[in-house]
């Protein structure tokens, strides 16, 4: 580990010019960041079940599906129950998709449950029940995008991939680009930067991926970064520039109350609890506004989360 890390060359210019775009990836040298961040991770990483060896690639994959847009504290109990019930992809694939939606509980964005079920079925059919190691094979699974494929390949199999989630993007935006927040949606320039910062060594790259994510989750948080306990504070471009406030487009906030998402959540909650098909009248009672309620129910049906039966009855999907 380097004791006096080299300051990434992009940082000095970012510190001088806070409106700078993402630095050219070729100009970035992340070697000075690798040691401090991975050393910090070795000391401060949370003991999360999907990080334990016994979690295996399936445990990592399940956690990655659940953690998208959902905090760790809410994921933990559902994750534990899920793995206890379906310890292998084949166990999940053997049950109807509606059981995945039921077990998803209140994690939100329940289409993820259907996608995870579809991924488990594909793993069973194409890979004999073992989560594949190859990034391309992971990416070919239903519901697995670039982020999840990279995360599983890196966290489960120790491979060298840029794993770019919200937390990592925020750390890179601040530490390297000198901006308080990354763009609203991931850009090609950010991906390039992430690849440029990736350690050459495979094992170190895998630790770096997990460590930068943890740093963003625990220290370099969105609203109140704790720079005094950050291992790269002395090198952070944003901090060196005086922590300039965000000047870009307003940060997106996700409203919930009164939205179709809320209505969908209420409808699904009734169906999750039911062991027999639910009559329309019971669903009508969850939300007063009929047009919005019908729209929400139609959306659930077209997303495959709810199965309409004859006679105005509904249930979670069985096939
Ligand atoms: S010094 Fe502060 S802003 Fe910079 S990376 Fe660390 S926690 Fe984030």
């Amino acid at each position: 580990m380097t004791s006096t890390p080299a300051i990434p060359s992009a940082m000095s210019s970012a510190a001088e010019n806070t409106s700078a775009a993402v630095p050219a990836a070729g100009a970035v040298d992340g070697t000075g960041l690798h040691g401090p961040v991975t050393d910090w991770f070795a000391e401060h990483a949370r003991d999360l079940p999907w990080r334990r060896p016994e979690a295996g690639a399936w445990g990592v994959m399940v956690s990655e599906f659940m953690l998208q847009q959902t905090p760790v504290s809410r994921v933990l109990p559902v994750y534990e129950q899920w793995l206890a019930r379906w310890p292998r992809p084949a166990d999940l694939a053997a049950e109807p998709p509606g059981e995945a939606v039921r077990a998803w509980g209140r994690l939100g964005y329940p289409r993820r449950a259907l996608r995870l079920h579809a991924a488990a079925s594909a793993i069973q059919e194409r890979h004999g029940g073992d989560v594949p190691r190859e990034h391309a094979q992971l990416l070919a699974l239903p519901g697995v995008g670039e982020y999840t494929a990279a995360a599983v390949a890196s966290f489960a199999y120790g491979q060298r991939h840029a794993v770019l989630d919200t937390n990592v993007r925020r750390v890179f935006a601040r530490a390297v680009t000198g901006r308080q927040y990354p763009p609203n949606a991931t850009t090609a320039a950010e991906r390039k930067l992430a690849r440029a910062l990736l350690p050459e060594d495979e094992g170190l790259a895998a630790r770096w991926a997990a460590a930068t994510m943890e740093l963003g989750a625990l220290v370099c948080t969105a609203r109140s970064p704790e720079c005094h306990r950050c291992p790269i504070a002395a090198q952070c471009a944003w901090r060196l520039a005086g922590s300039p406030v965000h000047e870009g487009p307003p940060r997106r906030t996700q409203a919930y109350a009164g939205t179709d998402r809320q209505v969908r959540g209420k409808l699904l909650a009734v169906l999750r609890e039911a062991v027999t098909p639910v009559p329309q009248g019971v669903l009508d009672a969850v939300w007063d506004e009929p047009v919005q309620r019908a729209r929400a129910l139609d959306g659930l049906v077209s997303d495959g989360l709810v199965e309409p039966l004859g006679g105005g009855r509904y249930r979670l999907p069985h096939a």
Side-chain angles (χ1 to χ4, degrees), residues 56-296:
W58 173 237
V60 171
M61 179 176 272
V62 170
S63 74
E64 289 301 335
F65 270 76
M66 292 184 174
L67 288 165
Q68 288 163 27
Q69 298 166 295
T70 309
V72 165
S73 57
R74 286 179 55 205
V75 165
L76 278 169
V78 182
Y79 172 89
E80 302 275 15
Q81 287 163 14
W82 192 283
L83 266 291
R85 181 170 174 185
W86 298 308
R88 298 166 306 159
D91 302 314
L92 176 58
E95 294 220 34
E99 286 309 300
V101 175
R102 196 188 307 279
W104 198 255
R106 305 188 69 85
L107 285 184
Y109 300 101
R111 271 178 289 181
R112 294 179 293 170
L114 286 184
R115 292 187 190 124
L116 184 50
H117 183 275
S121 302
I123 289 167
Q124 180 64 10
E125 285 160 20
R126 298 177 202 166
H127 303 289
D130 293 324
V131 176
R133 301 180 71 92
E134 297 298 321
H135 182 269
Q137 292 178 325
L138 287 162
L139 199 53
L141 295 172
V144 174
E146 175 57 41
Y147 166 78
T148 306
V152 173
S154 179
F155 301 154
Y157 294 124
Q159 294 171 15
R160 182 177 180 274
H161 292 282
V163 184
L164 207 48
D165 83 336
T166 314
N167 289 318
V168 177
R169 293 175 61 222
R170 189 170 56 252
V171 170
F172 290 172
R174 290 174 181 166
V176 181
T177 316
R179 291 190 162 191
Q180 187 177 15
Y181 296 116
N184 274 334
T186 309
T187 63
E190 285 182 277
R191 289 202 180 89
K192 228 171 150 180
L193 175 64
R195 286 196 296 273
L197 289 168
L198 200 57
E200 285 300 324
D201 177 78
E202 193 172 54
L204 180 58
R207 289 200 301 284
W208 164 254
T212 46
M213 198 172 286
E214 191 77 333
L215 187 66
L218 298 183
V219 176
C220 194
T221 58
R223 293 217 173 80
S224 48
E226 296 186 55
C227 304
H228 62 279
R229 61 188 194 98
C230 176
I232 51 172
Q235 307 176 57
C236 173
W238 184 62
R239 189 169 161 274
L240 292 174
S243 308
V245 291
H246 177 70
E247 285 177 354
R251 308 295 301 159
R252 280 190 305 226
T253 54
Q254 294 192 326
Y256 185 69
T259 61
D260 285 8
R261 250 189 86 216
Q262 185 185 17
V263 186
R264 286 164 60 104
K266 284 178 174 288
L267 293 168
L268 261 193
V270 172
L271 289 156
R272 272 200 312 269
E273 294 299 320
V275 289
T276 55
V278 176
Q280 176 86 53
V282 173
L283 294 176
D284 287 351
V286 308
W287 196 256
D288 285 342
E289 212 288 297
V291 174
Q292 190 180 22
R293 189 178 64 230
R295 187 171 64 230

